[in-house]
Amino acid sequence: MLGQFNNVGVRNCNGTKLRYDQACLEIITDGPVTFWSQYEECEDCMLLETANLKKSGPVVLETISPIRYAIQSEDNEICNGTYEFEEFGQYSINVANDSHNCQPRMTAEPDAAYLPILTAVVVLLSLATLWYIVKGILKIIIAGRFYSRYFAREDNELGSETRVIVTSEPRSPTRSRLRSLDIFRGFSIALMIFVNAGGGGYSIFTHAAWNGLTVADVVFPWFAFAMGESLVLSLNARLRTSLPRIAALKQVAQRSLLMSIVGICLSSVNASWYDVRWPGVLQRLAAMYLIVGALECAFMRTSQNITPGRSLFRDVAAGWQQWLATVLLVAIQVCITLTVSAPGCPRGYVGPGGLHRTALGDFSLVNCTGGIAGYIDRLILGSSHLYKGGSFRKIYMPLQPHDPEGLLGILSGVLVVQAGAHATRIMLVYNHARARIMRWVFWSIVFSVVGGALCEFSKNGGPIPINKNLWSVSYCLVTAGMAFFIQAVLYFLVDLKTKWGGRPLYYAGQNALFLYIGSELLKRHFPLYWHVPAPTHSQLLATHATAMLIWLAVGVALHRKRIFITL
């Protein structure tokens, strides 16, 4: 198969060195032509002029999405088509001699761009397996005091007590931890560190351009879900020790304020006061934590009425007031989004603006980025204080900034944290493990089906597409449904069957916020960041995975010292 291609593995385009996610297209023509193209990811976007060739020549193309293209002469369009070019591939299109065949012909085979991911997974699994083998051998050979000193504490962590705590408030020394929750939180924070480091340059580890869902898009809501779980566990323990509800609310507000301040400080690194970013990940978490925490302080039941005849609805009865308030907030977000129009924009518009156009071919949406949600953020917070980046900017090229952690999305985001709170309420009101798992799986199905129905189980369809930039209701429902299922699986494997200890994710979950803040502050410093000239996916994947592993090692070290740092 490889023998039919010439120059296999060539990484240049007629002298121009290709970088990762680029391909070379040679256009063969006997006269001047223009090459027009657009990413298929760019919904309803017009083609843009990419190259103007007076004779046969190369065109460098990005491979992050299939490309729609057209080749035009001075008088008319010669041909058009859609093709998915692959990384470092060499292609040609012959439009000479009145040829109208626009199908590219591969002249050099592309690289296997995703092979480094498979290699990394195999290496990590091999290292983990080797660790357990070595540990098992040491258990057998080395007995007595040496084994007790280095391994016994690790094996008895399930339900262990916290001995040394570095925190802003005292924690009860008798409080046990749900191990699967720490593992879930550790998994979320490890994936978040990897994604924020760059994710190896892969599109699946980069946020979706606008609508849709990637691996990077599920990390934040999963962490928010875990935050809701730990919030209810903590408040339940405090309120049951006769802590006044107003005092508990004060503690929630203090933690929320501190989290917001830290988030703003992270956003102000290398920024002046006039362009510091007000919204952010920690600020969004703080706002959702405050709202859900206030609801729990007001309505949480510290004693559960375990009546056999009401077992089917016990979890709903324990939190119906919190859910009523949450549904009201979500309804407000949906009504504002779909019924209020931003100035100069159609009602209910939730697109990216820029090159995006409506089904009627309206190109006047260039300043409508984010619809009413984007307008509210620009009006209240100011355009200079919003996020300047975003994967959608390269595709849609909008003129207005848009912040994915804006104000309106807080209302829908509460749904995710409340789902996490409900997951813990299920654990508190049901003593039987099977009942807990069945209900987590049940709510996983309900949330996922409802969220899928809102987007018609498609990327851009339905009344409310899945959209992380706006934290649409469908996005919150689907990611919360996934989190319910993951919690059920982890609980079954870790807490019920004790088949997996979850190391080192378990350690990272105990200091998740500290690891996130540290990774954000130091992610551009050695050894967490290496400058690689003309990098490839494999090089980027190695550097970004190393950064994640270093922070996991920090989590292990903190656990060994019995240090748990929280806000």
Side-chain angles (χ1 to χ4, degrees):
M1 180 67 180
L2 296 179
Q4 65 178 305
F5 299 112
N6 297 320
N7 302 321
V8 176
V10 174
R11 296 188 177 181
N12 64 75
C13 187
N14 196 27
T16 301
K17 187 174 180 62
L18 296 176
R19 63 172 182 80
Y20 68 93
D21 286 339
Q22 284 186 340
C24 180
L25 173 64
E26 181 80 13
I27 299 178
I28 303 173
T29 176
D30 52 8
V33 296
T34 54
F35 183 80
W36 298 71
S37 66
Q38 185 55 265
Y39 300 110
E40 194 173 49
E41 176 74 21
C42 193
E43 183 192 9
D44 296 325
C45 296
M46 60 179 145
L47 301 183
L48 300 178
E49 183 177 329
T50 308
N52 192 330
L53 304 174
K54 295 183 179 180
K55 59 180 182 178
S56 299
V59 179
V60 177
L61 299 175
E62 300 288 335
T63 62
I64 59 176
S65 166
I67 290 178
R68 295 183 290 111
Y69 60 88
I71 300 177
Q72 298 181 1
S73 64
E74 295 178 344
D75 302 323
N76 51 28
E77 181 179 289
I78 299 175
C79 61
N80 61 70
T82 301
Y83 193 83
E84 184 173 5
F85 298 91
E86 298 182 58
E87 182 179 83
F88 297 132
Q90 305 278 325
Y91 306 86
S92 68
I93 296 179
N94 190 342
V95 293
N97 302 320
D98 297 324
S99 174
H100 295 275
N101 180 17
C102 247
Q103 185 68 16
R105 183 177 67 90
M106 186 182 296
T107 58
E109 192 175 55
D111 278 9
Y114 289 94
L115 183 60
I117 296 181
L118 177 61
T119 304
V121 171
V122 171
V123 169
L124 291 176
L125 290 178
S126 300
L127 290 175
T129 303
L130 179 62
W131 161 250
Y132 280 103
I133 292 175
V134 172
K135 180 180 173 181
I137 295 174
L138 291 176
K139 280 184 178 181
I140 297 173
I141 298 177
I142 304 174
R145 181 180 300 178
F146 187 80
Y147 171 78
S148 176
R149 179 179 179 183
Y150 289 99
F151 292 101
R153 182 177 63 191
E154 184 175 308
D155 290 337
N156 293 316
E157 283 163 352
L158 182 57
S160 64
E161 298 174 358
T162 299
R163 298 182 182 178
V164 180
I165 301 174
V166 179
T167 179
S168 59
E169 59 186 72
R171 184 187 294 179
S172 173
T174 61
R175 173 173 165 254
S176 62
R177 302 181 70 90
L178 184 64
R179 191 179 184 90
S180 59
L181 171 56
D182 279 326
I183 295 173
F184 186 18
R185 187 163 46 219
F187 172 70
S188 299
I189 203 64
L191 193 56
M192 186 180 294
I193 292 172
F194 175 69
V195 166
N196 289 347
Y202 287 103
S203 58
I204 59 172
F205 297 123
T206 305
H207 294 296
W210 195 250
N211 295 331
L213 205 61
T214 66
V215 175
D217 294 323
V218 302
V219 177
F220 191 0
W222 284 358
F223 189 81
F225 183 94
M227 183 181 69
E229 290 185 286
S230 58
L231 169 64
V232 172
L233 273 179
S234 175
L235 284 179
N236 181 71
R238 295 173 188 173
L239 293 178
R240 291 182 67 180
T241 58
S242 301
L243 178 71
R245 292 180 182 269
I246 189 66
L249 178 60
K250 182 179 178 181
Q251 292 178 357
V252 168
Q254 288 176 341
R255 187 167 190 243
S256 177
L257 178 62
L258 183 58
M259 203 183 305
S260 298
I261 293 175
V262 173
I264 293 175
C265 290
L266 284 178
S267 302
S268 64
V269 175
N270 297 325
S272 66
W273 175 256
Y274 296 100
D275 59 359
V276 63
R277 181 188 175 197
W278 294 127
V281 171
L282 289 181
Q283 297 92 308
R284 168 65 65 83
L285 286 173
M288 297 187 300
Y289 179 86
L290 178 61
I291 294 173
V292 176
L295 292 175
E296 293 299 328
C297 288
F299 301 117
M300 177 182 286
R301 301 181 184 182
T302 55
S303 61
Q304 305 299 338
N305 181 21
I306 304 178
T307 306
R310 297 177 54 193
S311 62
L312 186 62
F313 307 103
R314 196 183 302 151
D315 57 328
V316 178
W320 70 269
Q321 294 158 306
Q322 294 93 312
W323 274 115
L324 182 63
T326 300
V327 170
L328 179 61
L329 292 176
V330 172
I332 292 174
Q333 191 268 354
V334 172
C335 289
I336 293 176
T337 300
L338 299 182
T339 63
V340 180
S341 60
C345 305
R347 180 179 301 170
Y349 178 74
V350 290
L355 297 175
H356 184 253
R357 57 177 174 173
T358 64
L360 299 177
D362 185 4
F363 289 97
S364 63
L365 304 175
V366 64
N367 293 319
C368 295
T369 302
I372 187 61
Y375 175 76
I376 290 174
D377 292 337
R378 293 189 290 270
L379 179 66
I380 297 177
L381 302 176
S383 297
S384 61
H385 296 292
L386 301 180
Y387 187 50
K388 305 300 190 301
S391 55
F392 73 99
R393 303 194 69 83
K394 182 176 182 179
I395 302 257
Y396 291 97
M397 294 184 279
L399 299 180
Q400 298 287 356
H402 175 76
D403 204 301
E405 277 75 56
L407 298 174
L408 198 57
I410 294 174
L411 302 181
S412 54
V414 169
L415 177 65
V416 179
V417 183
Q418 189 61 250
H422 191 75
T424 298
R425 279 196 292 270
I426 289 174
M427 187 192 68
L428 293 176
V429 301
Y430 293 103
N431 293 328
H432 200 283
R434 185 175 64 179
R436 296 172 177 176
I437 293 173
M438 288 178 60
R439 279 159 180 80
W440 283 332
V441 173
F442 169 76
W443 287 113
S444 171
I445 296 173
V446 170
F447 274 58
S448 300
V449 170
V450 174
L454 289 175
C455 66
E456 296 181 351
F457 298 94
S458 63
K459 181 177 181 180
N460 297 309
I464 306 179
I466 292 179
N467 189 295
K468 192 266 180 187
N469 289 284
L470 300 172
W471 278 62
S472 65
V473 177
S474 57
Y475 167 76
C476 295
L477 287 169
V478 169
T479 53
M482 297 166 68
F484 268 118
F485 184 77
I486 293 174
Q487 178 60 61
V489 172
L490 288 176
Y491 180 80
F492 177 79
L493 294 176
V494 176
D495 294 316
L496 182 60
K497 297 297 183 179
T498 62
K499 297 295 185 181
W500 181 44
R503 308 177 188 93
L505 301 178
Y506 171 67
Y507 307 137
Q510 295 177 321
N511 286 287
L513 274 179
F514 172 78
L515 296 184
Y516 171 75
I517 294 172
S519 66
E520 286 296 296
L521 283 174
L522 302 176
K523 67 181 180 181
R524 291 298 178 185
H525 295 77
F526 181 84
L528 303 173
Y529 171 78
W530 306 337
H531 174 70
V532 181
T536 62
H537 276 304
S538 57
Q539 292 171 326
L540 291 174
L541 183 64
T543 59
H544 300 158
T546 299
M548 178 192 69
L549 292 175
I550 289 175
W551 283 111
L552 289 179
V554 172
V556 173
L558 291 174
H559 173 84
R560 294 293 187 188
K561 297 296 183 180
R562 314 305 292 168
I563 297 175
F564 305 105
I565 304 173
T566 183
L567 296 179

